[in-house]
Amino acid sequence: MHLFTVILIAILLSNNRALADHLSQFPVVNTSLGSIKGSILTSRLGKNIFAFRGIRYAKPPIEDLRFRPPQPVDPWENLLDATEDGPMCPQPAYNRSEVSEDCLRLNIYTKQIPGKLIRIQPQNVLVYIHPGGFYAFSGQSHNNAGPQYLMDQDIVLVTINYRLGSLGFMSTGTEDCPGNAGLKDQVMALRWIRNHISSFGGNPDSVTLMGYSAGALSTTLHLISPMSRGLFHRAIVMSAAATSQVKIPTDQIELARKQAALLGCPVIPADKMMACLRKKPATDYADSLEYMFVISWNPVLLWKPVIEPNFGQERFLDQDPTEAFLKGDFMKVPIIAGITKDEFAGPAVAFLRNETLRNELDLNFDTLAPILFLYERHTEESKNRSRLLREEFLRDEPLSLNNSLQGLNYLFADSLIGFAMHRFVQLASRHTLVYQYKFSYVGRYSFLYYPYEKTPYGAVHHDDLLYLLSIPSRAPIFNVTDPENLTVERLTGMWSAFANTGDPNNAQISMPHWKPVTKTDNHYLNIGQVLTMEIGLFAERFAIWDQLFPLPTENTE
Ligand SMILES: *[C@@H]1O[C@H](CO)[C@@H](O)[C@H](O)[C@H]1NC(C)=O
Ligand SMILES: *[C@@H]1O[C@H](CO)[C@@H](O)[C@H](O)[C@H]1NC(C)=O
Ligand SMILES: *[C@@H]1O[C@H](CO)[C@@H](O)[C@H](O)[C@H]1NC(C)=O
Ligand SMILES: *[C@@H]1O[C@H](CO)[C@@H](O)[C@H](O)[C@H]1NC(C)=O
Ligand SMILES: *[C@@H]1O[C@H](CO)[C@@H](O)[C@H](O)[C@H]1NC(C)=O
Ligand SMILES: *[C@@H]1O[C@H](CO)[C@@H](O)[C@H](O)[C@H]1NC(C)=O
Ligand SMILES: *[C@@H]1O[C@H](CO)[C@@H](O)[C@H](O)[C@H]1NC(C)=O
């Protein structure tokens, strides 16, 4: 039954037209913490969406709580206004009043709300963890995570924020700041959802985690985190995984010191540094972001999750991700996992188009490659790897836009995204169902236009999100006559069928049977203008990476 039925009953019972009018614009949900007032949005196909946005799921992580694990929220008395998005976490932003450190918020979208007189069938829940390299973006509806597409399906959608950059990922290897705060935020959001989503018509026993890029890397960590056990039941891992060549450290003290120096704080001793860092305004962190990188916003993955030393705290990560998946020590839930055809072409274009950067990369390839492509620096082995990658992908030629673009694109794509996914799929599929995809559809809109800033380069990083979430800064909402309609229908159909049943083949669309990956066949669904089943995703390229970064047990040295 519909909320409008509730409203109708409310009208009949109260005969109070003013109240009824108010209720029909502002749905109210009662939770055990307090009551929440939402608003009504319209889905792409014209359905009503009850939206509850900007709900705090943790105390504001400010002052002494900065850098610390999130704390649960206290109950409230008055009606909580959740009619608009909350702020995004501190980051450089066009509009500063949309940013605040009080950013631990989530948005809930539902089409049915249970009430005193109304029983409903609880809907399956899809939780979205946003991308942005652990230092950008948010789950806000009006910037990059609008619900208009997914809410045409029968699900409850939740989007979450988590702390970013130094504020979310600082790790000094001490009890004071063991790291992973942003990931613990995500866990806190999942716990909030488990406790309260039924008030919004969601089923806490059927939660699908869907993460993109940094959010996907996070999702693969939730699969192995002792803190996340049992909080979700299926996973959609889009364009990143934690099983890459990146060595997961136990702290990033050097990065903490870099941040401290940029903000004029002492870098030793650690307690003085932290005390100073706790006093700096959050805007200082956003303003210094670009100076945290080594070269031109690289390495793209700067803040890393850490394997936390044990100080008796609740640890988010206590083992190496690749080893955990290798051992089969993870939540063996059904998984959708995949990448886009062209992924990280953006930095390749940026480096090759800029003469200074291009020359620098050309002359210092052996030292810059490990920074850009995320492997150990300064060792002989590192130098060997750089040489081999240059031979294999760039034919050892001088770098030029014309000749090196594809090779450099592949290097960024594989090192930042593809190889980790290849390894994740290989290891996870030994223990659980993995439906793999490659997204190759190219529509009229994209996150990278090249050449002439007019034509989409291909299917790059984030391009598949354009058909799952509305992203007003990048594309309009596609209507049923737009050519993109079919891709919206397919992606939202398959993803929600998976959230509802654990099998994307239950989507009400025309598609080939999507075969899971098996021991012998690396099946994947190619999501292009047509849907086709294929075998062996970028097998030749990933063989090079496999050879350079062998699995621990396959290491024959
Ligand atoms: C900035 O954000 C605030 C709060 O969301 C909003 O009221 C204001 O209109 C925005 N300003 C601009 C220029 O977009
Ligand atoms: C929510 O709580 C308010 C105030 O306690 C009450 O008037 C209202 O009937 C409740 N609504 C539902 C749907 O339970
Ligand atoms: C090229 O890159 C350098 C180093 O990042 C930067 O200072 C310069 O502004 C860039 N040039 C152009 C034309 O974008
Ligand atoms: C690096 O490559 C050289 C030449 O191929 C080889 O002799 C050496 O053992 C390699 N070193 C490492 C640490 O891999
Ligand atoms: C790059 O390719 C374009 C088009 O193929 C050609 O016009 C141009 O001369 C080439 N530039 C160089 C430096 O080779
Ligand atoms: C659909 O959107 C296109 C622009 O992308 C517009 O030209 C067209 O009129 C729209 N169709 C409908 C039915 O709204
Ligand atoms: C557009 O997609 C909707 C579902 O998302 C579907 O019902 C409709 O048939 C599609 N229209 C066209 C013209 O493909």
Side-chain angles (χ1 to χ4, degrees):
M1 263 197 253
H2 233 246
L3 180 81
F4 290 115
T5 322
V6 186
I7 292 161
L8 190 63
I9 292 166
I11 296 172
L12 294 177
L13 293 180
S14 71
N15 202 17
N16 179 334
R17 190 161 287 279
L19 175 70
D21 281 352
H22 187 78
L23 273 179
S24 65
Q25 281 169 20
F26 299 106
V28 171
V29 156
N30 294 343
T31 73
S32 59
L33 291 166
S35 300
I36 306 179
K37 176 168 102 168
S39 59
I40 299 181
L41 305 177
T42 307
S43 77
R44 184 176 88 100
L45 301 180
K47 296 179 184 167
N48 279 310
I49 308 168
F50 304 124
F52 299 86
R53 291 175 288 178
I55 302 172
R56 281 189 190 81
Y57 63 81
K59 292 208 172 96
I62 55 174
E63 295 164 6
D64 195 51
L65 289 183
R66 188 183 273 178
F67 305 127
R68 299 209 195 280
Q71 301 300 312
V73 273
D74 295 326
W76 56 86
E77 293 284 329
N78 297 331
L79 186 61
L80 179 77
D81 186 344
T83 55
E84 284 177 25
D85 280 309
M88 57 177 97
C89 291
Q91 59 187 284
Y94 169 71
N95 183 351
R96 281 201 172 208
S97 52
E98 289 195 352
V99 176
S100 163
E101 201 173 3
D102 177 10
C103 61
L104 299 186
R105 316 290 187 106
L106 51 77
N107 290 359
I108 300 173
Y109 306 98
T110 181
K111 291 198 297 255
Q112 295 180 305
I113 302 167
K116 278 202 196 108
L117 303 170
I118 306 295
R119 276 191 196 206
I120 60 158
Q121 175 73 34
Q123 300 290 302
N124 304 291
V125 180
L126 184 62
V127 180
Y128 175 62
I129 310 180
H130 72 77
F134 293 135
Y135 45 83
F137 304 146
S138 76
Q140 290 175 317
S141 62
H142 69 287
N143 277 322
N144 26 52
Q148 289 83 350
Y149 297 145
L150 278 166
M151 287 312 292
D152 278 320
Q153 305 291 336
D154 290 330
I155 53 161
V156 168
L157 174 68
V158 186
T159 68
I160 66 176
N161 287 353
Y162 51 95
R163 277 174 282 175
L164 302 172
S166 292
L167 294 170
F169 291 88
M170 181 167 293
S171 57
T172 55
T174 62
E175 188 169 1
D176 189 40
C177 185
N180 297 332
L183 294 156
K184 291 172 184 171
D185 293 342
Q186 297 175 8
V187 172
M188 182 65 85
L190 290 174
R191 288 176 178 165
W192 194 100
I193 291 163
R194 181 193 55 194
N195 294 341
H196 302 293
I197 202 64
S198 60
S199 304
F200 299 83
N203 179 359
D205 297 320
S206 176
V207 174
T208 298
L209 258 197
M210 161 174 144
Y212 202 97
S213 195
L217 202 162
S218 305
T219 300
T220 59
L221 293 175
H222 289 296
L223 286 168
I224 60 172
S225 171
M227 290 179 71
S228 315
R229 289 274 142 110
L231 290 176
F232 63 101
H233 312 91
R234 285 171 286 280
I236 303 178
V237 182
M238 303 178 72
S239 291
T243 42
S244 71
Q245 73 285 3
V246 175
K247 191 135 183 55
I248 303 290
T250 53
D251 66 67
Q252 286 192 292
I253 184 72
E254 292 309 325
L255 200 61
R257 291 192 178 129
K258 184 168 187 174
Q259 179 71 80
L262 281 170
L263 300 192
C265 286
V267 299
I268 43 170
D271 57 335
K272 286 228 168 63
M273 175 176 85
M274 295 307 291
C276 176
L277 284 169
R278 282 208 167 86
K279 293 209 177 74
K280 295 290 173 186
T283 44
D284 284 12
Y285 289 86
D287 293 343
S288 61
L289 177 64
E290 75 170 291
Y291 307 104
M292 292 295 291
F293 293 88
V294 179
I295 178 171
S296 184
W297 296 93
N298 279 275
V300 169
L301 184 72
L302 185 57
W303 284 273
K304 294 175 188 150
V306 291
I307 301 168
E308 288 175 58
N310 188 357
F311 303 105
Q313 82 279 28
E314 207 180 3
R315 288 195 288 172
F316 176 77
L317 189 61
D318 59 4
Q319 60 178 330
D320 179 77
T322 301
E323 281 168 20
F325 284 102
L326 189 60
K327 278 189 295 187
D329 187 7
F330 66 100
M331 277 171 65
K332 297 180 185 69
V333 298
I335 293 167
I336 286 180
I339 58 178
T340 68
K341 178 170 70 67
D342 300 294
E343 287 295 352
F344 260 81
V349 171
F351 264 84
L352 293 175
R353 266 221 279 228
N354 179 318
E355 202 181 326
T356 315
L357 290 174
R358 186 176 67 234
N359 287 337
E360 207 168 325
L361 184 57
D362 208 2
L363 293 174
N364 305 310
F365 192 85
D366 290 358
T367 43
L368 284 177
I371 296 170
L372 304 185
F373 311 132
L374 309 179
Y375 49 91
E376 199 173 277
R377 308 171 196 177
H378 309 305
T379 62
E380 193 193 335
E381 197 178 15
S382 167
K383 216 173 235 178
N384 282 3
R385 284 172 173 151
S386 300
R387 287 203 189 118
L388 193 118
L389 287 173
R390 187 165 191 165
E391 270 167 38
E392 293 284 355
F393 286 89
L394 299 165
R395 298 178 303 264
D396 264 338
E397 288 171 2
L399 297 181
S400 73
L401 188 53
N402 276 13
N403 295 330
S404 319
L405 183 54
Q406 190 183 62
L408 199 57
N409 175 5
Y410 288 169
L411 278 171
F412 277 108
D414 295 353
S415 63
L416 298 177
I417 311 291
F419 177 54
M421 187 63 78
H422 159 77
R423 187 149 275 179
F424 173 71
V425 167
Q426 178 196 3
L427 297 181
S429 65
R430 292 178 187 172
H431 303 278
T432 190
L433 275 182
V434 179
Y435 298 96
Q436 181 175 226
Y437 70 87
K438 174 175 91 178
F439 184 83
S440 57
Y441 173 73
V442 182
R444 293 170 298 163
Y445 299 88
S446 173
F447 277 78
L448 181 68
Y449 297 94
Y450 180 87
Y452 317 122
E453 322 301 344
K454 282 205 178 106
T455 333
Y457 175 94
V460 301
H461 202 55
H462 292 191
D463 276 357
D464 39 355
L465 283 176
L466 293 172
Y467 314 97
L468 282 166
L469 296 157
S470 81
I471 307 179
S473 61
R474 291 291 172 165
I477 291 186
F478 304 121
N479 63 37
V480 292
T481 60
D482 280 326
E484 291 84 357
N485 185 63
L486 193 56
T487 301
V488 173
E489 188 183 3
R490 284 169 171 165
L491 278 189
T492 58
M494 293 187 290
W495 269 218
S496 63
F498 179 75
N500 285 328
T501 67
D503 185 349
N505 289 298
N506 291 326
Q508 302 298 308
I509 60 167
S510 146
M511 64 186 286
H513 183 73
W514 189 349
K515 294 180 201 142
V517 173
T518 65
K519 235 188 174 92
T520 49
D521 291 314
N522 188 23
H523 295 293
Y524 68 93
L525 180 69
N526 186 356
I527 305 174
Q529 184 62 48
V530 293
L531 302 178
T532 50
M533 276 315 295
E534 296 173 20
I535 283 186
L537 183 49
F538 298 137
E540 281 174 33
R541 274 154 59 188
F542 295 148
I544 299 169
W545 293 93
D546 268 328
Q547 180 200 333
L548 278 180
F549 300 96
L551 279 168
T553 52
E554 291 170 9
N555 197 332
T556 51
E557 304 187 320

